[in-house]
């Protein structure tokens, strides 16, 4: 007979885990001393513990391990379970590789963006704009790109129905309200000289901003969010922070490769200044 400590040494499974397996009924002691409560195991149970560890390392749940060890699973059934586990692991690896590629892309995007932003950042007033827009609200900056496409489609459809041609590639604005109460996002175009009255479309006048930052981003549209991140970093290095309504003005819409030219504009203030 083997004590629980001896079984732990032979199988390289902790005493605590062997007690847990006992509680779950996975590896019951061959005998428990009624006077001391010591657990004693037979030598044959070393193989059961080793099999349990091997199955766990393959990713099987404890319930699946119990079924394999206790329910006389046939070779065909075990083969099917292993094939399913193989497919699950294959799917997970593919998903992890996709995530790894995305992390690499983001790293390269931010590195390129920091270089370009530090070279091209201009601190200058932002012009007044008169816009026709539709807007919505999101809870987080990660949701902005998801809603802007449908917003632009709604804007163009409503203007087209009113007989107004849409010129230019479009303007996106967003503003995070103080206190974390959501982010207002709008898709807009510059208003024509004669402004139509279109149901569901707002006419807004953005005032001149005396202190602003501007950067032209040329590259994949998918990297625009990273470009905004690099602007915040570049401003921080200059003792500034972005503050207020952000403007994203498409100078050239995304081409068939997804590349675009867009000017990113935001009001700025000294980082130590609070309004």
């Amino acid at each position: 007979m083997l004590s629980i400590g001896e079984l732990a040494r032979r199988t390289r499974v902790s005493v605590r885990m062997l007690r847990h397996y006992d509680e779950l009924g996975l590896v019951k002691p061959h005998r428990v001393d009624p006077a001391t409560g010591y657990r004693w195991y037979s030598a044959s149970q070393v193989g059961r513990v080793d099999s349990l560890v091997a199955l766990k390392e393959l990713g099987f749940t404890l319930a699946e391990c119990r079924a394999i060890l206790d329910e006389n699973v046939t070779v065909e059934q075990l083969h099917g379970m292993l094939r399913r586990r193989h497919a699950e692991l294959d799917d997970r690896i593919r998903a992890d590789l996709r995530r790894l590629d995305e992390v690499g892309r983001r790293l390269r995007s931010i590195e390129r963006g920091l270089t370009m932003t530090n070279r091209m950042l201009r601190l200058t007033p932002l012009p007044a704009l008169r816009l026709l827009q539709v807007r919505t609200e999101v809870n987080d900056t990660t949701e902005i790109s998801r809603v802007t496409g449908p917003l632009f489609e709604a804007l163009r459809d409503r203007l087209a129905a009113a007989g107004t041609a849409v010129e230019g590639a479009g303007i996106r604005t967003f503003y995070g309200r103080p206190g974390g109460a959501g982010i207002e996002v709008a898709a807009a175009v510059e208003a024509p000289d004669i402004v139509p009255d279109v149901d569901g479309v707002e006419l807004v006048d953005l005032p001149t901003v005396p202190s602003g930052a501007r950067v032209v981003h040329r590259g994949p549209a998918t990297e625009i969010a990273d470009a905004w991140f690099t602007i915040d970093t570049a401003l921080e290095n200059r003792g500034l922070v972005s503050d207020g309504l952000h403007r994203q003005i498409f100078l050239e819409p995304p081409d068939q490769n997804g590349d675009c030219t867009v000017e990113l504009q935001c009001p700025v203030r000294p980082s130590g200044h609070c309004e």
Side-chain angles (χ1 to χ4, degrees):
M1 302 295 290
L2 304 175
S3 70
I4 192 170
E6 290 170 326
L7 182 62
R9 285 191 293 275
R10 290 199 184 188
T11 59
R12 297 184 181 181
V13 174
S14 70
V15 169
R16 182 186 62 82
M17 187 57 68
L18 288 173
R19 291 196 182 106
H20 181 57
Y21 291 159
D22 179 9
E23 293 170 357
L24 296 176
L26 285 166
V27 184
K28 299 292 291 182
H30 185 75
R31 182 171 66 86
V32 178
D33 190 303
T36 63
Y38 288 169
R39 296 172 171 85
W40 296 94
Y41 296 83
S42 66
S44 63
Q45 287 181 286
V46 172
R48 181 178 177 89
V49 176
D50 287 340
S51 297
L52 178 58
V53 170
L55 290 170
K56 283 185 61 184
E57 289 179 347
L58 291 174
F60 287 109
T61 66
L62 290 179
E64 291 170 329
C65 292
R66 184 197 303 276
I68 294 171
L69 294 173
D70 290 347
E71 297 179 9
N72 297 319
V73 172
T74 66
V75 172
E76 290 77 12
Q77 290 172 325
L78 180 59
H79 182 263
M81 295 174 73
L82 288 170
R83 285 186 64 86
R84 286 194 297 273
R85 184 61 189 151
H86 184 279
E88 291 170 0
L89 291 172
D90 187 59
D91 290 343
R92 183 182 301 175
I93 290 171
R94 291 175 185 273
D96 286 342
L97 287 174
R98 287 193 295 270
R99 282 191 286 269
L100 182 63
D101 287 342
E102 178 61 14
V103 169
R105 184 196 69 75
R106 292 291 302 275
L107 283 171
R108 293 188 296 272
S109 170
I110 290 173
E111 289 165 358
R112 286 194 303 268
L114 281 172
T115 300
M116 183 168 60
T117 297
N118 284 321
R119 186 176 69 248
M120 300 183 64
L121 181 69
R122 292 186 297 150
L123 299 176
T124 178
L126 306 180
L129 292 174
R130 172 166 263 208
L131 304 175
L132 292 173
Q133 70 173 29
V134 293
R135 58 190 172 93
T136 189
E137 184 175 297
V138 297
N139 296 317
D140 188 82
T141 55
T142 58
E143 302 176 37
I144 293 176
S145 60
R146 175 178 57 82
V147 301
T148 48
L151 281 178
F152 275 120
E153 289 182 12
L155 175 62
R156 294 176 188 277
D157 289 346
R158 292 172 188 176
L159 291 176
T164 301
V166 176
E167 297 183 2
I171 299 169
R172 188 188 79 179
T173 67
F174 60 93
Y175 172 61
R177 295 190 180 94
I183 301 171
E184 183 180 286
V185 182
V189 294
E190 291 196 57
D193 294 334
I194 301 176
V195 180
D197 184 11
V198 181
D199 186 41
V201 176
E202 299 174 304
L203 174 67
V204 295
D205 288 290
L206 302 185
T208 300
V209 177
S211 299
R214 305 169 74 158
V215 169
V216 174
H217 166 81
R218 294 185 178 89
T222 54
E223 296 183 0
I224 292 176
D226 292 333
W228 279 116
F229 175 78
T230 61
I231 289 176
D232 288 335
T233 302
L235 290 174
E236 182 180 356
N237 293 336
R238 291 164 170 80
L240 301 168
V241 293
S242 60
D243 180 46
L245 187 71
H246 290 52
R247 311 172 178 186
Q248 184 172 299
I249 302 175
F250 284 90
L251 306 178
E252 295 178 5
D255 60 21
Q256 60 183 2
N257 297 318
D259 293 338
C260 64
T261 302
V262 59
E263 184 170 81
L264 312 179
Q265 304 177 358
C266 61
V268 298
R269 60 172 173 80
S271 57
H273 174 69
C274 295
E275 296 185 356

